[in-house]
Amino acid sequence: MSYAVKECFLTLQGEGVQSGSRAVFLRFAGCNLWSGREQDRAAAQCNFCDTDFVGTDGEGGGKFADAAQLADHVLATWGEGEDRRLVVITGGEPMLQLDPALVDALHDRGFRVAVESNGTLPAIGGIDWLCISPKAGTEVVQRSGDELKLVWPQEGVDPSDLERWDFGNFLIQPMDCEAREEALGAAIRLVMDRPRWRLSLQTHKLTGLP
Ligand code: SF4
């Protein structure tokens, strides 16, 4: 199988439980909840996206003919050193392209494989760290994993419903929007009211990392 990659770069994981960890970010092109075109945003199933996942023209992006070629590219992006190799596979929606062959090829090269998905497609096996970020109005089929990351506030989502799902960590992340102060306040209030949740901040936006 071939893969369409928007970008692939070395950075620190900015969000969630593994925030601050050195990681290769592998962003697949394409999402099943929005075309990525501004003219389609209002009618999209997910309309608060802050990510450009269209095409293969980003830093380290391109088309890769097979899993070995893409895994070699990830390894080259990581560079020297074998300690705690981590790749964060995101998108777009990574489950549109991620397959067991790529997971195996990354494991063969010593990487732990973390994935960030919207949960509307079932996750494949072999993933070392699975983060699901549900979007209002969508049918989330992947209701277990390591980290549930809820962007907040989202009309139509009741956090108490999500607490029944099988996750090791429940994170609330303020929505990055024009009303970001209000979103931060709402996220803090939710954590104060419901201690199962923890606040996740987008530290890459504070540090200026990509
Ligand atoms: S599901 Fe994720 S990648 Fe897709 S449009 Fe929404 S925020 Fe963007």
Side-chain angles (χ1 to χ4, degrees), residues 31 33-34 46 48-49 53 91-93 118 135:
C31 182
L33 299 185
W34 179 40
C46 179
F48 58 81
C49 188
F53 54 76
E93 174 44 53
N118 61 37
K135 308 297 186 271

Side-chain angles (χ1 to χ4, degrees), residues 1-7 28-29 55-58 60-66 69-70 73 97:
M1 164 170 171
S2 64
Y3 307 89
V5 172
K6 173 66 184 183
E7 56 186 349
F28 280 129
T56 57
D57 57 347
K63 295 242 172 81
F64 295 84
D66 57 34
Q69 200 184 98
L70 181 50
H73 182 61
Q97 299 192 60

